[in-house]
Amino acid sequence: MEQKRKRAAWVNWALFFGTMILVFFLGLLASSITERKAENEYVYKPKVKLSEFEPRNELWGENFPREYQSYLQTSDTTFRSKYLGNAPADLLAEDPRLVVLWAGYGFSKDYMAPRGHFYAITDIRNTLRTGGPLKPDEGPMPNTCWSCKSPDVPRLMAEMGPAEFYKGKWASKGPEVVNYIGCADCHDPKTLDLRITRPALIEAFQASGRDISQATHQEMRSLVCAQCHVEYYFDKHRQDAPDVQYLTFPWRDGMTAETMLAYYNESGFADFTHALSKTPILKAQHPDYEIFLTGIHAERGLACADCHMPYVKEGGQKFTSHKMVSPLENIENTCQVCHRESEEELRGNVYERQEKVKEIRDKLEIQLVRAHVEAKAAWDAGVGEKEMEAVLQHIRNAQWYWDFTAASHGASFHSPVEMARVVGLGMDESQQARVILARLLTKSGIGEVPYPDITTKTKAQEFISLPMDKLRVEKAEFLKRIIPQWDQEATTREESWGIQYY
Amino acid sequence: MEQKRKRAAWVNWALFFGTMILVFFLGLLASSITERKAENEYVYKPKVKLSEFEPRNELWGENFPREYQSYLQTSDTTFRSKYLGNAPADLLAEDPRLVVLWAGYGFSKDYMAPRGHFYAITDIRNTLRTGGPLKPDEGPMPNTCWSCKSPDVPRLMAEMGPAEFYKGKWASKGPEVVNYIGCADCHDPKTLDLRITRPALIEAFQASGRDISQATHQEMRSLVCAQCHVEYYFDKHRQDAPDVQYLTFPWRDGMTAETMLAYYNESGFADFTHALSKTPILKAQHPDYEIFLTGIHAERGLACADCHMPYVKEGGQKFTSHKMVSPLENIENTCQVCHRESEEELRGNVYERQEKVKEIRDKLEIQLVRAHVEAKAAWDAGVGEKEMEAVLQHIRNAQWYWDFTAASHGASFHSPVEMARVVGLGMDESQQARVILARLLTKSGIGEVPYPDITTKTKAQEFISLPMDKLRVEKAEFLKRIIPQWDQEATTREESWGIQYY
């Protein structure tokens, strides 16, 4: 009996101390949770009052430091070009055929691989495509070119309306558009809700009979990106906006390569006339959103942000990374949320798709170079416009299909089968162009037209007679004389606004 | 106290009866398990003694009834062509361009959609491609054509060796090869282990420096299929097998469309000379295994059997379904083992890939039809062999790439990006052929060669001057007079073997 009682007492004490220890740790856990919540409140306590279209990203950063600091990392482009450091990759040097395909258009002068949002203003100032305007009404490009570069754009549009914003030469709004793409482009400063600030997207929805205000939150997580990462053109014939190159998405009849081509062919719109073949060419922009929609990740309900802005943790805080970059930089937080394979295998899967599509796209590129030089030879031999009509239509179609697959970021990952299909459509068009050309040339007594020596960017630019030295001198002069003026004017303006603290 | 004691007694009784009930159900479970094991032993108790190459599937069925009964269901092809009932779909009627592409070869006479293994013997007897031989040394095809049709093949090869088996006309082994593809083709009758019975696969491994005996079980679950579902050709120039069309896989340098084409181009092998263009054409067979290997399911480690022979349950028994068919017939046991999406969505994903690749493949087909008729026009206009050399090489390459993507079962699902890439390679080759042809034709004073009226199979067969009535009469005569003789001879032989029971 005595032993039994002793054992019972021992059990009781053990239970008592066990419970004590458990309760102690529960207390610690509760305290930790409370502290984190407190930290959370502290972190998200707004310090600065933000106006509706506050373009200064650093002020938003005072209120939302984690998101802002991750956004600042869009300046780190080492992932994109490990072998080139932070320097932008020169795509014309990598593939001089591009120079010939864009002969007669700015892209043949200068085409660097895209960098992070952080460089939006720097790069549009530096590119040879915007020329070297020394006065507000000089230069090759309109103000429409600023549309996707800065949160100063919604600020100005709110003041003057979109048509007035687009109006005039690019240089005329240089002092106004100075903050790189940022917070106000996608967020409401009060609620932080996602918002559409660009009228072109809203109008494109309207034109295709949809209402963007009905979009779900998950759709918005792609649509804020689709304000810019889309195919677009500058409509010069809007009756309600004379003398304006009005930013327009060609989505009225659909968002595939074919429906957009049909839309353009109906109106006869062209971005430029090709310098060699005289083809009215469509320059595809970056139809990232449209192509994404045709792929499996969109079909499974994903949004851009799911892979390009994954959840990350920092100091116990979970937040959305605002370092938009290739998800391959961060496979453990992106692909591996759903896919169980190793990083190496997943990366290999992406590259394999891209390389396969690139292989046939390169062939289409060569066919297109041939078509352009053969068309030039036909014009030179005196072939008439009527006989060339079908040729030019086929070249136009082929180059559109090619550019549609080449211009978009990550297209051959987002939708590899669709991209290969569109390359196939391009090859079919280029074949028709070249077969007719072969007949026309042979009739004119001309045999095989030699493929030009375009083994380097310099040779290719000489082949299409681009005055590169002159363009570079103009740009240097512009950067030296005009940019400091723009920056000074902007600083004065922003200082006059001041900063309002809570 | 009294109440407490009563409560304690109640608890004791409850525990007692609860335990009783639990033990009772445990007993039931144990009994059920034992019974199932007993059933299992009963089911897999061999009844019939099977010789090493027993070709009679029904005898294997005595020992392995579930597998055999599911295999018999390969006779049900309703899934493949819901709208056509059990009748085979006539692919030439569906796509009369095929008639022109295969002009000069048996496939232009007759090409039905593949049916289940159950019909292997029926269909090879019925097809116009094997002609109407009335004597053993008549007809267009060699015995090599039997290689994949029957477990009588390993039986005969064990007796006479492969070269002697391949030797002679197809009709000469008609009475010997009578059992449709079946158990002995892939299984050892003692252990039921998977085994390779076809020397061509073993030799192809050897030729590429590999040893098939080192294959893992998971590899074998594809390799037994790869005995037949591969690209192959009949080598007429083996020094160790004179006068034999020796079944050979062109895998020496690799298993891609390019490496196999390079292999064929090195030796100059051709399946036939095209009746219109005089091109030495390669007929791609069904490179299912090679194409599967380039796709994502192979990369993730799957085997053919994982999707085409899923585990199923019947009467509490789990076994491998031997009804090889499209996994789409049985999505819940195939795709959904890994993929969480609905049947409808998964089926849609498969069809979308297939339709996209088919769209550009159809364009390549039209280009090839044009190339063949343009080449004929060039020959007719007196263009010389030397000038046509490059044209024919490009047509040969283009048609190989086209057929590689068209001939395989399910290719555009197994590896959609690779298939689109290969279509692109074909388009590039067809473009080169047609551009040179346009020059040659224009020089000869010939303009655009009209596209033939091949809107129906009949018109297409008339266009290439096929004597269809004659071929049909010959076949009917053969089926009426010869087939009963073959069957009678086979019955007599198999009766003489008898059946040995345990």
Side-chain angles (χ1 to χ4, degrees):
Chain A
M1 275 302 273
E2 178 64 7
Q3 246 186 351
K4 246 190 194 170
R5 223 162 34 110
K6 267 189 186 163
R7 200 180 297 144
W10 184 88
V11 167
N12 279 344
W13 279 110
L15 272 173
F16 175 73
F17 282 112
T19 310
M20 290 287 283
I21 291 165
L22 198 72
V23 169
F24 177 74
F25 279 104
L26 268 174
L28 281 185
L29 180 67
S31 156
S32 163
I33 289 171
T34 316
E35 264 176 47
R36 289 198 189 185
K37 277 202 174 166
E39 188 187 347
N40 210 15
E41 267 170 40
Y42 173 76
V43 169
Y44 287 105
K45 185 117 191 161
K47 294 172 192 159
V48 175
K49 286 185 185 168
L50 299 171
S51 65
E52 193 178 356
F53 294 107
E54 175 56 64
R56 291 168 292 180
N57 298 317
E58 61 276 18
L59 296 196
W60 293 65
E62 293 287 318
N63 292 0
F64 313 104
R66 287 189 206 278
E67 284 78 3
Y68 176 64
Q69 280 155 28
S70 67
Y71 191 69
L72 280 182
Q73 290 175 45
T74 61
S75 64
D76 168 17
T77 56
T78 46
F79 169 77
R80 188 184 51 72
S81 50
K82 274 182 191 163
Y83 42 95
L84 288 171
N86 226 6
D90 185 338
L91 295 177
L92 299 181
E94 270 183 45
D95 180 1
R97 291 187 294 257
L98 301 178
V99 173
V100 178
L101 297 186
W102 292 324
Y105 200 52
F107 278 84
S108 63
K109 302 173 189 168
D110 191 2
Y111 183 45
M112 309 301 261
R115 297 203 293 172
H117 286 173
F118 183 86
Y119 299 103
I121 296 296
T122 309
D123 287 356
I124 195 176
R125 290 172 168 186
N126 286 344
T127 180
L128 295 179
R129 296 205 296 278
T130 49
L134 300 181
K135 291 179 187 161
D137 58 351
E138 287 182 0
M141 309 307 286
N143 271 315
T144 323
C145 288
W146 288 116
S147 300
C148 274
K149 300 298 176 188
S150 169
D152 286 306
V153 176
R155 174 180 68 81
L156 292 164
M157 283 185 172
E159 288 171 19
M160 62 182 70
E164 192 58 31
F165 174 83
Y166 299 140
K167 202 171 186 174
K169 290 279 188 187
W170 176 77
S172 67
K173 291 203 176 65
E176 290 282 355
V177 189
V178 293
N179 293 285
Y180 58 84
I181 303 168
C183 317
D185 286 311
C186 302
H187 287 290
D188 180 295
K190 301 282 183 303
T191 62
L192 276 206
D193 279 353
L194 294 175
R195 68 171 175 191
I196 305 299
T197 56
R198 298 306 196 275
L201 180 62
I202 298 167
E203 291 156 10
F205 263 66
Q206 284 166 350
S208 58
R210 293 176 292 164
D211 177 1
I212 201 166
S213 73
Q214 301 301 310
T216 64
H217 179 65
Q218 178 69 351
E219 285 168 337
M220 287 295 282
R221 296 176 74 235
S222 290
L223 285 172
V224 290
C225 313
Q227 300 185 92
C228 294
H229 288 266
V230 290
E231 166 63 14
Y232 60 80
Y233 72 110
F234 297 171
D235 186 348
K236 294 174 198 170
H237 302 289
R238 272 179 75 115
Q239 295 194 333
D240 57 354
D243 299 324
V244 168
Q245 302 202 28
Y246 201 98
L247 186 67
T248 310
F249 301 174
W251 290 1
R252 191 193 61 203
D253 306 325
M255 295 161 82
T256 64
E258 287 104 316
T259 53
M260 292 200 254
L261 176 61
Y263 173 92
Y264 283 134
N265 281 345
E266 187 186 313
S267 72
F269 173 83
D271 285 282
F272 68 104
T273 300
H274 197 276
L276 303 175
S277 66
K278 302 190 190 171
T279 309
I281 291 282
L282 296 164
K283 175 74 192 80
Q285 311 302 335
H286 28 59
D288 307 340
Y289 176 66
E290 297 93 324
I291 290 170
F292 166 72
L293 286 184
T294 66
I296 192 69
H297 286 86
E299 194 175 324
R300 294 288 185 263
L302 272 75
C304 305
D306 283 315
C307 305
H308 291 281
M309 302 178 68
Y311 286 116
V312 289
K313 263 191 180 174
E314 212 176 75
Q317 291 282 326
K318 192 177 165 191
F319 67 102
T320 300
S321 169
H322 279 60
K323 181 184 181 185
M324 296 94 171
V325 70
S326 165
L328 293 183
E329 196 192 46
N330 198 9
I331 290 177
E332 74 276 22
N333 288 322
T334 55
C335 317
Q336 287 182 336
V337 171
C338 295
H339 298 282
R340 291 172 306 174
E341 289 72 26
S342 73
E343 287 197 20
E344 193 188 345
E345 185 169 354
L346 292 166
R347 192 177 289 114
N349 294 150
V350 174
Y351 289 153
E352 190 196 347
R353 283 160 176 70
Q354 291 179 331
E355 278 160 20
K356 284 190 175 178
V357 178
K358 186 173 186 303
E359 185 186 337
I360 54 173
R361 197 178 69 214
D362 282 349
K363 289 191 185 289
L364 174 53
E365 251 175 63
I366 295 169
Q367 296 167 5
L368 274 165
V369 169
R370 288 195 184 279
H372 284 300
V373 298
E374 285 161 357
K376 183 180 186 323
W379 288 118
D380 291 349
V383 173
E385 270 188 34
K386 207 174 154 53
E387 285 171 291
M388 289 295 280
E389 202 180 304
V391 170
L392 300 195
Q393 184 66 54
H394 287 307
I395 295 180
R396 171 182 162 95
N397 296 352
Q399 182 145 337
W400 162 257
Y401 287 132
W402 163 76
D403 209 356
F404 188 87
T405 67
S408 167
H409 311 315
S412 299
F413 166 71
H414 288 147
S415 197
V417 184
E418 175 69 1
M419 289 303 91
R421 185 187 73 88
V422 175
V423 169
L425 299 181
M427 284 188 164
D428 195 54
E429 294 282 351
S430 76
Q431 177 162 150
Q432 295 181 65
R434 293 194 62 221
V435 166
I436 304 174
L437 277 165
R439 286 190 207 120
L440 294 172
L441 287 165
T442 311
K443 259 191 217 162
S444 305
I446 294 169
E448 190 177 338
V449 180
Y451 193 80
D453 177 5
I454 50 170
T455 44
T456 67
K457 174 182 167 181
T458 306
K459 285 182 181 175
Q461 288 177 330
E462 278 167 12
F463 176 67
I464 65 163
S465 312
L466 268 184
M468 292 308 296
D469 290 340
K470 181 168 163 279
L471 295 171
R472 286 196 194 97
V473 168
E474 283 171 7
K475 177 55 79 176
E477 179 79 358
F478 162 79
L479 291 175
K480 196 175 137 201
R481 281 181 50 193
I482 304 301
I483 289 300
Q485 293 174 25
W486 289 5
D487 284 342
Q488 182 53 51
E489 201 175 314
T491 305
T492 309
R493 179 180 61 250
E494 294 191 353
E495 278 173 5
S496 78
W497 293 341
I499 303 174
Q500 281 191 284
Y501 291 94
Y502 276 104
Chain B
M1 277 304 273
E2 179 65 7
Q3 246 185 352
K4 245 189 195 170
R5 223 161 33 110
K6 267 189 187 163
R7 200 180 296 143
W10 184 88
V11 168
N12 278 346
W13 279 112
L15 272 173
F16 175 73
F17 282 111
T19 310
M20 290 287 283
I21 291 165
L22 198 73
V23 168
F24 176 73
F25 279 105
L26 268 174
L28 280 184
L29 180 67
S31 155
S32 162
I33 290 172
T34 316
E35 263 175 48
R36 289 199 188 184
K37 278 202 175 166
E39 188 187 347
N40 210 15
E41 264 170 42
Y42 173 75
V43 168
Y44 287 106
K45 187 119 192 161
K47 293 175 194 159
V48 175
K49 286 186 185 168
L50 299 170
S51 65
E52 193 177 356
F53 295 107
E54 175 57 62
R56 289 168 293 179
N57 299 316
E58 61 275 18
L59 295 197
W60 293 66
E62 294 286 319
N63 292 0
F64 314 103
R66 286 191 204 277
E67 285 78 3
Y68 176 64
Q69 280 154 28
S70 66
Y71 191 70
L72 280 183
Q73 290 175 45
T74 60
S75 64
D76 168 17
T77 57
T78 46
F79 169 76
R80 188 184 51 72
S81 48
K82 274 182 192 165
Y83 42 94
L84 288 171
N86 226 7
D90 185 339
L91 296 177
L92 299 181
E94 271 183 44
D95 180 1
R97 292 186 294 258
L98 301 178
V99 174
V100 177
L101 297 186
W102 292 324
Y105 200 52
F107 279 85
S108 62
K109 303 173 190 168
D110 190 3
Y111 182 46
M112 309 301 262
R115 297 203 293 172
H117 286 172
F118 182 86
Y119 299 103
I121 296 296
T122 310
D123 287 356
I124 196 176
R125 289 172 169 184
N126 286 345
T127 179
L128 295 179
R129 296 205 296 278
T130 49
L134 299 181
K135 292 182 188 160
D137 58 352
E138 287 182 0
M141 308 308 285
N143 271 316
T144 322
C145 289
W146 287 117
S147 301
C148 274
K149 300 298 175 187
S150 169
D152 285 306
V153 176
R155 174 180 68 81
L156 292 164
M157 283 185 172
E159 287 170 18
M160 61 182 70
E164 192 58 30
F165 174 83
Y166 300 139
K167 203 171 186 175
K169 291 280 188 187
W170 175 78
S172 67
K173 291 202 175 66
E176 289 283 355
V177 188
V178 293
N179 293 284
Y180 59 85
I181 303 169
C183 317
D185 286 311
C186 302
H187 287 290
D188 180 296
K190 301 282 183 304
T191 62
L192 276 206
D193 280 353
L194 294 174
R195 69 171 176 190
I196 304 298
T197 56
R198 297 306 195 273
L201 180 62
I202 298 166
E203 291 156 8
F205 264 65
Q206 285 166 349
S208 58
R210 293 176 293 166
D211 177 0
I212 202 167
S213 73
Q214 300 302 309
T216 63
H217 179 63
Q218 178 68 352
E219 286 168 335
M220 285 295 281
R221 294 174 75 236
S222 290
L223 286 172
V224 289
C225 313
Q227 300 185 92
C228 294
H229 288 266
V230 290
E231 166 63 14
Y232 60 80
Y233 71 109
F234 297 171
D235 186 350
K236 294 175 198 170
H237 301 290
R238 271 179 76 116
Q239 294 194 334
D240 57 355
D243 299 323
V244 169
Q245 302 202 27
Y246 201 97
L247 185 68
T248 310
F249 300 174
W251 289 2
R252 191 191 63 202
D253 306 324
M255 295 161 82
T256 66
E258 288 103 315
T259 54
M260 291 199 255
L261 176 61
Y263 173 93
Y264 283 135
N265 281 345
E266 187 187 313
S267 72
F269 173 83
D271 285 282
F272 67 104
T273 299
H274 197 275
L276 303 174
S277 66
K278 302 190 191 171
T279 309
I281 292 282
L282 296 163
K283 174 75 192 79
Q285 310 301 335
H286 28 58
D288 308 340
Y289 175 66
E290 297 94 325
I291 290 170
F292 165 72
L293 286 184
T294 67
I296 193 69
H297 286 87
E299 194 175 324
R300 294 288 186 262
L302 272 76
C304 304
D306 283 315
C307 305
H308 291 281
M309 302 177 69
Y311 286 116
V312 289
K313 263 191 181 173
E314 213 177 74
Q317 291 281 326
K318 191 177 166 192
F319 67 102
T320 300
S321 168
H322 279 59
K323 182 184 181 185
M324 296 93 170
V325 71
S326 165
L328 293 183
E329 196 192 46
N330 197 8
I331 289 177
E332 73 276 22
N333 288 321
T334 56
C335 317
Q336 288 181 336
V337 172
C338 296
H339 298 281
R340 292 172 306 173
E341 289 71 27
S342 73
E343 287 196 20
E344 194 188 344
E345 184 169 355
L346 292 166
R347 192 178 290 112
N349 295 151
V350 173
Y351 289 154
E352 190 196 347
R353 284 161 176 70
Q354 291 179 332
E355 277 159 19
K356 284 190 175 180
V357 177
K358 185 172 186 304
E359 185 186 336
I360 54 173
R361 198 179 69 214
D362 281 349
K363 290 192 184 287
L364 174 54
E365 251 177 62
I366 294 169
Q367 295 167 5
L368 274 165
V369 169
R370 288 196 184 279
H372 284 299
V373 298
E374 285 161 358
K376 182 179 187 321
W379 288 119
D380 292 349
V383 174
E385 271 187 35
K386 208 173 153 52
E387 286 171 292
M388 289 293 282
E389 201 180 304
V391 171
L392 300 195
Q393 183 67 53
H394 287 307
I395 295 180
R396 171 182 162 95
N397 295 352
Q399 182 145 339
W400 162 256
Y401 286 133
W402 162 77
D403 209 356
F404 189 86
T405 67
S408 168
H409 311 316
S412 299
F413 167 73
H414 287 148
S415 197
V417 184
E418 174 70 1
M419 288 304 91
R421 185 187 73 87
V422 175
V423 169
L425 299 181
M427 285 189 164
D428 194 54
E429 294 282 349
S430 76
Q431 177 162 149
Q432 295 182 64
R434 294 194 61 220
V435 166
I436 304 175
L437 277 166
R439 286 190 207 119
L440 294 173
L441 287 166
T442 312
K443 258 190 217 163
S444 305
I446 294 169
E448 192 177 337
V449 179
Y451 193 81
D453 177 4
I454 50 171
T455 44
T456 67
K457 173 183 169 182
T458 306
K459 285 181 181 176
Q461 288 177 328
E462 277 167 13
F463 175 68
I464 65 162
S465 311
L466 269 184
M468 292 309 296
D469 289 340
K470 182 168 161 277
L471 294 171
R472 286 196 194 98
V473 168
E474 283 171 7
K475 177 55 79 176
E477 179 80 359
F478 161 79
L479 290 174
K480 195 175 139 204
R481 281 181 50 194
I482 303 301
I483 290 299
Q485 293 174 24
W486 290 4
D487 284 342
Q488 182 54 51
E489 201 175 312
T491 305
T492 309
R493 178 180 61 251
E494 293 190 353
E495 279 173 5
S496 80
W497 295 341
I499 303 173
Q500 282 190 283
Y501 291 94
Y502 276 104

